[in-house]
Amino acid sequence: MAATIQAIVDKYGGDKGQLVSILQDVQAEYCYLPKETLEEVSRVLHIPLSQVYSVASFFRAFSLTPRGKHVVTVCLGTACHVRGAPAVLDELGRQLGVEPGKTTEDMQFTLETVNCLGACALGPIVVMDGQYHGQMSPVKAKKTLKQYSEVSQDDNHG
């Protein structure tokens, strides 16, 4: 782990001002920011762990808990809510076997919610790995999730 963190920090020339970018790369490597990586970033950059932790915990893009390979985000904003987002969320939770905010045991999927994605005309909307899927229904959500599951299985076997 130390060599990986050192390589990431070196990529940014050891610049403390690049802490956000460094943490993004660390998270890309580990799918979240384990405590040990924050400690190593602190040590390598010679900045207090509290400073590293404050940045890591401030931005929603960072996760201090393990995340799945695929992140599924359901918008629960007003427009999405009235158009059926709770039923979509229930179906996705049932298919994945996890509650919102949790990751599947095989580390393939993390199910999250967000208060508004600002794409109300497409509601209910689900974002899977950064791709927006609008006008979702529980049936459509199940089919879309299955596509991502198949891609994930292909990655594991191919």
Side-chain angles (χ1 to χ4, degrees), residues 72 89-90 92-94 96-104 109-113:
V72 179
L89 178 62
D90 288 346
L92 289 169
R94 191 172 21 260
L96 294 172
V98 295
E99 297 288 321
K102 301 292 183 187
T103 299
T104 58
F109 291 93
T110 296
L111 181 61
E112 297 179 336
T113 61

Side-chain angles (χ1 to χ4, degrees), residues 16-91:
K16 297 172 186 174
Q18 296 296 317
L19 180 57
V20 171
S21 297
I22 290 168
L23 292 177
Q24 285 175 324
D25 285 5
V26 171
Q27 182 165 283
E29 181 72 24
Y30 296 96
C31 295
Y32 78 110
L33 297 172
K35 177 184 172 192
E36 298 78 21
T37 63
L38 298 180
E39 292 169 345
E40 188 65 15
V41 167
S42 168
R43 188 188 68 75
V44 171
L45 286 177
H46 305 289
I47 56 178
L49 178 59
S50 60
Q51 184 178 345
V52 175
Y53 181 78
S54 68
V55 171
S57 61
F58 178 79
F59 294 102
R60 187 181 169 101
F62 294 128
S63 178
L64 301 176
T65 57
R67 299 180 81 188
K69 180 178 177 183
H70 304 285
V71 177
V72 179
T73 306
V74 179
C75 180
L76 293 178
T78 303
C80 289
H81 185 88
V82 299
R83 293 178 181 161
V88 170
L89 178 62
D90 288 346
E91 181 63 28

